[in-house]
């Protein structure tokens, strides 16, 4: 059993569900429900990267994340955190939860076109992680912490965040002051549990929304600076004399712009791994990189995107490279 599972002592688990989802799902076609969840959960997926929390899974309209569980190693791969910080994990999960409240309002429900409202619950405790099954094995978390986190969510007030006493004790003072003590909730098998509730005001939500928009814009600008090569670079070594200086970088920049637009349309531009992969693929073009950087780019794509996304995003770069090689061969 020890080879299949890992024990974690203080993991903060977040459960979220959508208020009114069940009744909405009865009123609209299934494909609209799926499109709605795709839009909303894609936003949450991007937030996972920003707040450094681990997405455990989704189940229907339930979205589950964990803090102080995973980290990235030197190669950028997700691994179990060997030195988890329970306080940092609880703080990251709470910051993610607050962003969820604000971002959900930017997505409308398909049946009434009203902003989406969610309820969130967080609890911190011990759990076990591991792979389950031999066919399509699934990495999952088990333990009473998962059940208690789910109870924190199901008994929370719509549009609010409810945390257990354990999680509350791990929060820094500025965050703890946002919460008020409840009269406790009855939890099956546990009896009355002391909990704390964060009820954001409209001003809080508006402020969080503006901060997230500003952060997105700053991130987009930073990513564009990383991805786009300069236009004044010299032609790659070995290019025929007739190949005009800078033509390669101009074409490459145009292709990268197109790929960037594709990533934006698929809500994947915020993924650091996809950008690393795109940037490495660009620098691995003729005369501008090494085999190592090309491999790094491919690995980054595999970690964060499906094979079809990887192929679609890389194909424009491949076409430019082929065009360049063809034109130099004929000169």
């Amino acid at each position: 059993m020890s080879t299949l599972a890992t024990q974690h002592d203080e993991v903060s688990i977040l459960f979220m569900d959508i208020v009114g989802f069940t009744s909405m799902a009865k009123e609209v076609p299934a494909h609209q429900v799926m499109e709605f969840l795709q839009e909303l959960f894609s936003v949450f997926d991007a937030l996972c990267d920003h707040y450094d929390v681990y997405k455990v899974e989704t189940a229907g309209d339930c979205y589950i994340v964990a803090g102080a569980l995973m980290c990235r190693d030197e190669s950028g791969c997700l691994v179990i955190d060997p030195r988890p910080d329970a306080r940092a994990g609880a703080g990251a999960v709470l910051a993610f939860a607050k962003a969820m409240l604000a971002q959900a309002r930017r997505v409308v429900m398909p049946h009434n076109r009203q902003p989406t409202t969610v309820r969130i619950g967080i609890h911190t405790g011990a759990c076990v992680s591991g792979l389950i099954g031999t066919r399509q094995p699934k990495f999952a978390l088990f333990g009473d912490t998962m059940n208690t986190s789910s109870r924190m969510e199901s008994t929370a007030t719509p549009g609010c965040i409810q945390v257990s006493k354990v999680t509350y004790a791990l929060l820094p003072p500025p965050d703890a002051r946002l919460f008020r003590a409840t009269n406790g909730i009855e939890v099956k098998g546990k009896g009355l549990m002391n909990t704390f509730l964060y009820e954001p005001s409209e001003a809080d939500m508006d402020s969080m929304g503006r901060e997230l928009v500003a952060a997105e814009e700053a991130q987009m600008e930073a990513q564009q600076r990383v991805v786009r090569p300069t236009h004044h670079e010299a032609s790659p070594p070995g290019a025929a004399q007739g190949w005009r200086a800078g033509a390669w970088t101009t074409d490459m920049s145009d292709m990268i712009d197109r790929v960037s637009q594709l990533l934006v349309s698929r809500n994947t531009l915020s993924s650091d791994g996809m950008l690393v992969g795109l940037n490495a693929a660009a620098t691995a073009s003729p005369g501008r990189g090494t085999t190592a950087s090309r491999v790094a780019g491919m690995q980054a794509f595999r970690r964060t995107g499906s094979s079809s996304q990887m192929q679609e995003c890389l194909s424009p770069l491949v076409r430019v490279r082929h065009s360049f090689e063809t034109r130099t061969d004929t000169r």
Side-chain angles (χ1 to χ4, degrees):
M1 179 65 180
S2 61
T3 61
L4 299 176
T6 303
Q7 174 72 32
H8 311 274
D9 294 328
E10 291 185 293
V11 175
S12 291
I13 306 293
L14 174 151
F15 273 68
M16 179 235 73
D17 82 342
I18 301 167
V19 177
F21 177 81
T22 302
S23 59
M24 177 272 289
K26 296 177 182 178
E27 297 182 28
V28 299
H31 72 88
Q32 290 188 21
V33 177
M34 185 174 180
E35 290 169 358
F36 164 71
L37 289 177
Q38 169 65 16
E39 180 182 3
L40 182 63
F41 286 177
S42 293
V43 172
F44 294 162
D45 289 348
L47 292 176
C48 286
D49 292 337
H50 183 73
Y51 290 98
D52 197 23
V53 296
Y54 176 71
K55 177 184 177 182
V56 178
E57 64 178 322
T58 60
D61 67 320
C62 181
Y63 194 100
I64 308 170
V65 305
L69 176 71
M70 308 291 282
C71 66
R72 292 193 180 274
D73 62 14
E74 294 178 354
S75 65
C77 295
L78 275 174
V79 296
I80 292 175
D81 193 339
R83 294 179 297 276
D85 184 330
R87 290 187 179 277
V93 170
L94 176 60
F96 175 81
K98 291 163 64 179
M100 286 181 105
L101 293 179
Q103 291 290 64
R105 288 160 51 108
R106 299 169 64 180
V107 179
V108 297
M109 299 281 277
H111 66 309
N112 59 13
R113 311 307 296 172
Q114 294 299 308
T116 300
T117 300
V118 301
R119 61 167 65 88
I120 299 172
I122 307 172
H123 175 59
T124 304
C127 66
V128 171
S129 67
L131 290 173
I132 299 300
T134 57
R135 180 168 297 182
Q136 294 182 333
K138 176 184 177 182
F139 180 79
L141 300 182
F142 300 91
D144 185 61
T145 299
M146 293 288 285
N147 298 328
T148 305
S149 300
S150 177
R151 294 291 185 272
M152 293 296 107
E153 172 268 308
S154 61
T155 58
T157 303
C160 299
I161 303 170
Q162 182 169 236
V163 303
S164 67
K165 183 178 180 180
V166 179
T167 301
Y168 179 79
L170 293 171
L171 298 177
D175 286 335
R177 285 194 288 269
L178 298 174
F179 289 80
R180 66 169 178 84
T182 67
N183 294 323
I185 61 169
E186 287 288 340
V187 176
K188 184 178 180 180
K190 290 181 176 292
L192 188 68
M193 285 189 65
N194 293 323
T195 66
F196 297 81
L197 193 69
Y198 170 50
E199 301 174 283
S201 65
E202 282 298 318
D204 291 337
M205 297 295 285
D206 291 341
S207 177
M208 284 190 289
R210 288 193 297 271
E211 290 176 2
L212 287 168
V213 170
E216 289 173 357
E217 292 175 350
Q219 186 179 30
M220 289 284 289
E221 292 177 3
Q223 289 167 345
Q224 290 173 357
R225 286 195 297 271
V226 170
V227 171
R228 292 178 181 172
T230 58
H231 288 243
H232 61 273
E233 293 174 338
S235 299
Q241 193 170 14
W243 180 252
R244 72 185 185 279
W248 166 256
T249 55
T250 299
D251 284 1
M252 179 58 72
S253 181
D254 291 341
M255 284 296 116
I256 289 177
D257 282 343
R258 296 183 190 180
V259 176
S260 297
Q261 292 171 8
L262 172 65
L263 295 178
V264 170
S265 68
R266 288 171 177 261
N267 292 318
T268 54
L269 187 60
S270 61
S271 168
D272 294 337
M274 293 289 278
L275 285 168
V276 170
L278 178 58
N279 194 45
T283 58
S285 302
R288 298 196 62 219
T290 64
T291 301
S293 64
R294 188 177 300 115
V295 171
M298 297 294 282
Q299 289 175 339
F301 269 106
R302 289 193 182 100
R303 285 196 299 271
T304 57
S306 66
S307 58
S308 60
Q309 287 177 323
M310 179 176 68
Q311 181 178 2
E312 186 170 1
C313 292
L314 284 179
S315 60
L317 304 179
V318 173
R319 287 198 297 272
V320 172
R321 177 176 180 169
H322 176 71
S323 173
F324 168 76
E325 291 173 340
T326 301
R327 291 157 77 174
T328 55
D329 287 343
T330 58
R331 291 178 183 270

